PDB file of all heavy atoms in Angstrom:
ATOM      1  N   TRP X1385       0.868  23.996   2.706  1.00 97.00           N
ATOM      2  CA  TRP X1385       1.708  25.150   3.014  1.00 97.00           C
ATOM      3  C   TRP X1385       2.461  25.487   1.745  1.00 97.00           C
ATOM      4  O   TRP X1385       3.282  24.707   1.267  1.00 97.00           O
ATOM      5  CB  TRP X1385       2.686  24.835   4.140  1.00 97.00           C
ATOM      6  CG  TRP X1385       3.616  25.976   4.429  1.00 97.00           C
ATOM      7  CD1 TRP X1385       3.361  27.086   5.172  1.00 97.00           C
ATOM      8  CD2 TRP X1385       4.958  26.129   3.941  1.00 97.00           C
ATOM      9  NE1 TRP X1385       4.454  27.924   5.184  1.00 97.00           N
ATOM     10  CE2 TRP X1385       5.454  27.363   4.437  1.00 97.00           C
ATOM     11  CE3 TRP X1385       5.784  25.341   3.135  1.00 97.00           C
ATOM     12  CZ2 TRP X1385       6.730  27.821   4.147  1.00 97.00           C
ATOM     13  CZ3 TRP X1385       7.068  25.807   2.839  1.00 97.00           C
ATOM     14  CH2 TRP X1385       7.534  27.019   3.350  1.00 97.00           C
ATOM     15  N   THR X1386       2.148  26.615   1.142  1.00 97.00           N
ATOM     16  CA  THR X1386       2.729  26.988  -0.141  1.00 97.00           C
ATOM     17  C   THR X1386       3.146  28.446  -0.105  1.00 97.00           C
ATOM     18  O   THR X1386       2.545  29.269   0.592  1.00 97.00           O
ATOM     19  CB  THR X1386       1.731  26.781  -1.289  1.00 97.00           C
ATOM     20  OG1 THR X1386       0.558  27.578  -1.044  1.00 97.00           O
ATOM     21  CG2 THR X1386       1.326  25.318  -1.401  1.00 97.00           C
ATOM     22  N   ARG X1387       4.155  28.777  -0.905  1.00 96.00           N
ATOM     23  CA  ARG X1387       4.616  30.158  -1.036  1.00 96.00           C
ATOM     24  C   ARG X1387       4.792  30.487  -2.509  1.00 96.00           C
ATOM     25  O   ARG X1387       5.211  29.637  -3.305  1.00 96.00           O
ATOM     26  CB  ARG X1387       5.935  30.374  -0.302  1.00 96.00           C
ATOM     27  CG  ARG X1387       5.895  30.135   1.193  1.00 96.00           C
ATOM     28  CD  ARG X1387       4.816  30.951   1.914  1.00 96.00           C
ATOM     29  NE  ARG X1387       4.817  32.348   1.582  1.00 96.00           N
ATOM     30  CZ  ARG X1387       5.540  33.279   2.238  1.00 96.00           C
ATOM     31  NH1 ARG X1387       6.322  32.903   3.237  1.00 96.00           N
ATOM     32  NH2 ARG X1387       5.458  34.545   1.893  1.00 96.00           N
ATOM     33  N   SER X1388       4.482  31.736  -2.869  1.00 95.00           N
ATOM     34  CA  SER X1388       4.607  32.199  -4.244  1.00 95.00           C
ATOM     35  C   SER X1388       5.171  33.620  -4.228  1.00 95.00           C
ATOM     36  O   SER X1388       4.628  34.494  -3.537  1.00 95.00           O
ATOM     37  CB  SER X1388       3.249  32.166  -4.945  1.00 95.00           C
ATOM     38  OG  SER X1388       3.342  32.637  -6.272  1.00 95.00           O
ATOM     39  N   PHE X1389       6.250  33.856  -4.987  1.00 94.00           N
ATOM     40  CA  PHE X1389       6.932  35.142  -4.984  1.00 94.00           C
ATOM     41  C   PHE X1389       7.127  35.646  -6.412  1.00 94.00           C
ATOM     42  O   PHE X1389       7.148  34.870  -7.365  1.00 94.00           O
ATOM     43  CB  PHE X1389       8.310  35.019  -4.311  1.00 94.00           C
ATOM     44  CG  PHE X1389       8.256  34.543  -2.888  1.00 94.00           C
ATOM     45  CD1 PHE X1389       8.353  33.194  -2.604  1.00 94.00           C
ATOM     46  CD2 PHE X1389       8.114  35.442  -1.848  1.00 94.00           C
ATOM     47  CE1 PHE X1389       8.320  32.746  -1.292  1.00 94.00           C
ATOM     48  CE2 PHE X1389       8.077  35.000  -0.539  1.00 94.00           C
ATOM     49  CZ  PHE X1389       8.176  33.656  -0.254  1.00 94.00           C
ATOM     50  N   ARG X1390       7.283  36.969  -6.534  1.00 90.00           N
ATOM     51  CA  ARG X1390       7.557  37.597  -7.808  1.00 90.00           C
ATOM     52  C   ARG X1390       8.596  38.706  -7.624  1.00 90.00           C
ATOM     53  O   ARG X1390       8.713  39.289  -6.549  1.00 90.00           O
ATOM     54  CB  ARG X1390       6.279  38.215  -8.407  1.00 90.00           C
ATOM     55  CG  ARG X1390       5.206  37.221  -8.783  1.00 90.00           C
ATOM     56  CD  ARG X1390       5.587  36.400  -9.991  1.00 90.00           C
ATOM     57  NE  ARG X1390       4.478  35.594 -10.451  1.00 90.00           N
ATOM     58  CZ  ARG X1390       4.179  34.389  -9.977  1.00 90.00           C
ATOM     59  NH1 ARG X1390       4.919  33.866  -9.001  1.00 90.00           N
ATOM     60  NH2 ARG X1390       3.157  33.707 -10.451  1.00 90.00           N
ATOM     61  N   ARG X1391       9.320  39.004  -8.719  1.00 89.00           N
ATOM     62  CA  ARG X1391      10.175  40.183  -8.778  1.00 89.00           C
ATOM     63  C   ARG X1391      10.246  40.653 -10.215  1.00 89.00           C
ATOM     64  O   ARG X1391      10.142  39.864 -11.160  1.00 89.00           O
ATOM     65  CB  ARG X1391      11.562  39.899  -8.222  1.00 89.00           C
ATOM     66  CG  ARG X1391      12.409  38.919  -9.015  1.00 89.00           C
ATOM     67  CD  ARG X1391      13.737  38.697  -8.313  1.00 89.00           C
ATOM     68  NE  ARG X1391      14.602  37.769  -9.043  1.00 89.00           N
ATOM     69  CZ  ARG X1391      15.744  37.291  -8.563  1.00 89.00           C
ATOM     70  NH1 ARG X1391      16.152  37.647  -7.345  1.00 89.00           N
ATOM     71  NH2 ARG X1391      16.477  36.466  -9.282  1.00 89.00           N
ATOM     72  N   ASP X1392      10.452  41.972 -10.397  1.00 84.00           N
ATOM     73  CA  ASP X1392      10.434  42.546 -11.741  1.00 84.00           C
ATOM     74  C   ASP X1392      11.719  42.294 -12.505  1.00 84.00           C
ATOM     75  O   ASP X1392      11.697  42.097 -13.725  1.00 84.00           O
ATOM     76  CB  ASP X1392      10.174  44.051 -11.665  1.00 84.00           C
ATOM     77  CG  ASP X1392       8.787  44.378 -11.131  1.00 84.00           C
ATOM     78  OD1 ASP X1392       7.936  43.473 -11.128  1.00 84.00           O
ATOM     79  OD2 ASP X1392       8.572  45.529 -10.725  1.00 84.00           O
ATOM     80  N   GLU X1393      12.855  42.321 -11.811  1.00 82.00           N
ATOM     81  CA  GLU X1393      14.136  42.195 -12.489  1.00 82.00           C
ATOM     82  C   GLU X1393      15.081  41.325 -11.671  1.00 82.00           C
ATOM     83  O   GLU X1393      14.976  41.268 -10.440  1.00 82.00           O
ATOM     84  CB  GLU X1393      14.769  43.579 -12.688  1.00 82.00           C
ATOM     85  CG  GLU X1393      13.953  44.526 -13.561  1.00 82.00           C
ATOM     86  CD  GLU X1393      14.601  45.895 -13.661  1.00 82.00           C
ATOM     87  OE1 GLU X1393      15.664  46.090 -13.035  1.00 82.00           O
ATOM     88  OE2 GLU X1393      14.044  46.756 -14.357  1.00 82.00           O
ATOM     89  N   PRO X1394      16.042  40.657 -12.337  1.00 82.00           N
ATOM     90  CA  PRO X1394      17.053  39.888 -11.604  1.00 82.00           C
ATOM     91  C   PRO X1394      17.835  40.796 -10.659  1.00 82.00           C
ATOM     92  O   PRO X1394      18.141  41.941 -10.979  1.00 82.00           O
ATOM     93  CB  PRO X1394      17.947  39.329 -12.720  1.00 82.00           C
ATOM     94  CG  PRO X1394      17.084  39.340 -13.936  1.00 82.00           C
ATOM     95  CD  PRO X1394      16.194  40.528 -13.794  1.00 82.00           C
ATOM     96  N   GLY X1395      18.153  40.288  -9.491  1.00 82.00           N
ATOM     97  CA  GLY X1395      18.887  41.063  -8.505  1.00 82.00           C
ATOM     98  C   GLY X1395      17.997  41.707  -7.471  1.00 82.00           C
ATOM     99  O   GLY X1395      18.470  42.044  -6.369  1.00 82.00           O
ATOM    100  N   GLN X1396      16.736  41.942  -7.798  1.00 86.00           N
ATOM    101  CA  GLN X1396      15.810  42.479  -6.811  1.00 86.00           C
ATOM    102  C   GLN X1396      15.396  41.397  -5.820  1.00 86.00           C
ATOM    103  O   GLN X1396      15.506  40.201  -6.089  1.00 86.00           O
ATOM    104  CB  GLN X1396      14.553  43.035  -7.493  1.00 86.00           C
ATOM    105  CG  GLN X1396      14.770  44.276  -8.327  1.00 86.00           C
ATOM    106  CD  GLN X1396      13.471  44.806  -8.902  1.00 86.00           C
ATOM    107  OE1 GLN X1396      12.458  44.104  -8.946  1.00 86.00           O
ATOM    108  NE2 GLN X1396      13.485  46.040  -9.369  1.00 86.00           N
ATOM    109  N   ALA X1397      14.925  41.837  -4.668  1.00 90.00           N
ATOM    110  CA  ALA X1397      14.414  40.892  -3.685  1.00 90.00           C
ATOM    111  C   ALA X1397      13.040  40.391  -4.122  1.00 90.00           C
ATOM    112  O   ALA X1397      12.239  41.142  -4.698  1.00 90.00           O
ATOM    113  CB  ALA X1397      14.320  41.557  -2.315  1.00 90.00           C
ATOM    114  N   PHE X1398      12.768  39.099  -3.883  1.00 91.00           N
ATOM    115  CA  PHE X1398      11.454  38.546  -4.172  1.00 91.00           C
ATOM    116  C   PHE X1398      10.429  39.091  -3.176  1.00 91.00           C
ATOM    117  O   PHE X1398      10.719  39.230  -1.987  1.00 91.00           O
ATOM    118  CB  PHE X1398      11.477  37.014  -4.085  1.00 91.00           C
ATOM    119  CG  PHE X1398      12.016  36.351  -5.310  1.00 91.00           C
ATOM    120  CD1 PHE X1398      13.302  35.824  -5.322  1.00 91.00           C
ATOM    121  CD2 PHE X1398      11.248  36.244  -6.453  1.00 91.00           C
ATOM    122  CE1 PHE X1398      13.800  35.199  -6.450  1.00 91.00           C
ATOM    123  CE2 PHE X1398      11.733  35.629  -7.591  1.00 91.00           C
ATOM    124  CZ  PHE X1398      13.023  35.102  -7.594  1.00 91.00           C
ATOM    125  N   SER X1399       9.226  39.377  -3.670  1.00 90.00           N
ATOM    126  CA  SER X1399       8.115  39.820  -2.825  1.00 90.00           C
ATOM    127  C   SER X1399       6.963  38.839  -2.959  1.00 90.00           C
ATOM    128  O   SER X1399       6.761  38.260  -4.037  1.00 90.00           O
ATOM    129  CB  SER X1399       7.642  41.220  -3.240  1.00 90.00           C
ATOM    130  OG  SER X1399       8.677  42.171  -3.106  1.00 90.00           O
ATOM    131  N   PRO X1400       6.178  38.630  -1.897  1.00 92.00           N
ATOM    132  CA  PRO X1400       5.036  37.714  -2.009  1.00 92.00           C
ATOM    133  C   PRO X1400       4.061  38.167  -3.084  1.00 92.00           C
ATOM    134  O   PRO X1400       3.781  39.362  -3.224  1.00 92.00           O
ATOM    135  CB  PRO X1400       4.401  37.772  -0.610  1.00 92.00           C
ATOM    136  CG  PRO X1400       5.500  38.219   0.293  1.00 92.00           C
ATOM    137  CD  PRO X1400       6.342  39.150  -0.532  1.00 92.00           C
ATOM    138  N   HIS X1401       3.579  37.222  -3.864  1.00 90.00           N
ATOM    139  CA  HIS X1401       2.560  37.499  -4.869  1.00 90.00           C
ATOM    140  C   HIS X1401       1.273  37.923  -4.162  1.00 90.00           C
ATOM    141  O   HIS X1401       1.024  37.544  -3.014  1.00 90.00           O
ATOM    142  CB  HIS X1401       2.318  36.244  -5.713  1.00 90.00           C
ATOM    143  CG  HIS X1401       1.522  36.491  -6.944  1.00 90.00           C
ATOM    144  ND1 HIS X1401       0.158  36.369  -6.983  1.00 90.00           N
ATOM    145  CD2 HIS X1401       1.908  36.854  -8.199  1.00 90.00           C
ATOM    146  CE1 HIS X1401      -0.276  36.636  -8.202  1.00 90.00           C
ATOM    147  NE2 HIS X1401       0.763  36.940  -8.961  1.00 90.00           N
ATOM    148  N   ILE X1402       0.448  38.732  -4.853  1.00 86.00           N
ATOM    149  CA  ILE X1402      -0.770  39.216  -4.209  1.00 86.00           C
ATOM    150  C   ILE X1402      -1.717  38.077  -3.839  1.00 86.00           C
ATOM    151  O   ILE X1402      -2.565  38.222  -2.963  1.00 86.00           O
ATOM    152  CB  ILE X1402      -1.509  40.247  -5.090  1.00 86.00           C
ATOM    153  CG1 ILE X1402      -1.881  39.631  -6.438  1.00 86.00           C
ATOM    154  CG2 ILE X1402      -0.700  41.493  -5.260  1.00 86.00           C
ATOM    155  CD1 ILE X1402      -2.774  40.534  -7.280  1.00 86.00           C
ATOM    156  N   TYR X1403      -1.589  36.920  -4.509  1.00 89.00           N
ATOM    157  CA  TYR X1403      -2.428  35.770  -4.184  1.00 89.00           C
ATOM    158  C   TYR X1403      -1.682  34.743  -3.324  1.00 89.00           C
ATOM    159  O   TYR X1403      -2.129  33.612  -3.195  1.00 89.00           O
ATOM    160  CB  TYR X1403      -2.942  35.108  -5.457  1.00 89.00           C
ATOM    161  CG  TYR X1403      -3.820  36.016  -6.284  1.00 89.00           C
ATOM    162  CD1 TYR X1403      -3.377  36.539  -7.493  1.00 89.00           C
ATOM    163  CD2 TYR X1403      -5.089  36.383  -5.830  1.00 89.00           C
ATOM    164  CE1 TYR X1403      -4.172  37.380  -8.246  1.00 89.00           C
ATOM    165  CE2 TYR X1403      -5.885  37.237  -6.575  1.00 89.00           C
ATOM    166  CZ  TYR X1403      -5.425  37.729  -7.786  1.00 89.00           C
ATOM    167  OH  TYR X1403      -6.214  38.571  -8.518  1.00 89.00           O
ATOM    168  N   ASP X1404      -0.558  35.148  -2.749  1.00 93.00           N
ATOM    169  CA  ASP X1404       0.191  34.246  -1.872  1.00 93.00           C
ATOM    170  C   ASP X1404      -0.607  34.005  -0.594  1.00 93.00           C
ATOM    171  O   ASP X1404      -0.918  34.933   0.151  1.00 93.00           O
ATOM    172  CB  ASP X1404       1.547  34.878  -1.538  1.00 93.00           C
ATOM    173  CG  ASP X1404       2.376  34.006  -0.616  1.00 93.00           C
ATOM    174  OD1 ASP X1404       2.596  32.837  -0.957  1.00 93.00           O
ATOM    175  OD2 ASP X1404       2.794  34.494   0.451  1.00 93.00           O
ATOM    176  N   GLN X1405      -0.951  32.755  -0.348  1.00 93.00           N
ATOM    177  CA  GLN X1405      -1.761  32.343   0.807  1.00 93.00           C
ATOM    178  C   GLN X1405      -1.084  31.112   1.414  1.00 93.00           C
ATOM    179  O   GLN X1405      -1.380  29.986   1.043  1.00 93.00           O
ATOM    180  CB  GLN X1405      -3.190  32.035   0.374  1.00 93.00           C
ATOM    181  CG  GLN X1405      -4.171  31.848   1.509  1.00 93.00           C
ATOM    182  CD  GLN X1405      -5.586  31.562   1.000  1.00 93.00           C
ATOM    183  OE1 GLN X1405      -5.765  31.012  -0.082  1.00 93.00           O
ATOM    184  NE2 GLN X1405      -6.577  31.954   1.765  1.00 93.00           N
ATOM    185  N   PRO X1406      -0.157  31.304   2.355  1.00 95.00           N
ATOM    186  CA  PRO X1406       0.691  30.192   2.808  1.00 95.00           C
ATOM    187  C   PRO X1406      -0.063  28.973   3.323  1.00 95.00           C
ATOM    188  O   PRO X1406       0.254  27.843   2.962  1.00 95.00           O
ATOM    189  CB  PRO X1406       1.544  30.826   3.903  1.00 95.00           C
ATOM    190  CG  PRO X1406       1.560  32.283   3.574  1.00 95.00           C
ATOM    191  CD  PRO X1406       0.225  32.575   2.984  1.00 95.00           C
TER     192      PRO X1406
END
Side-chain angles (χ1 to χ4, degrees):
W1385 177 81
T1386 59
R1387 299 305 311 271
S1388 179
F1389 301 92
R1390 295 289 188 274
R1391 66 182 181 188
D1392 294 343
E1393 298 177 359
Q1396 292 183 343
F1398 279 104
S1399 299
H1401 192 268
I1402 59 172
Y1403 298 109
D1404 179 55
Q1405 191 179 28

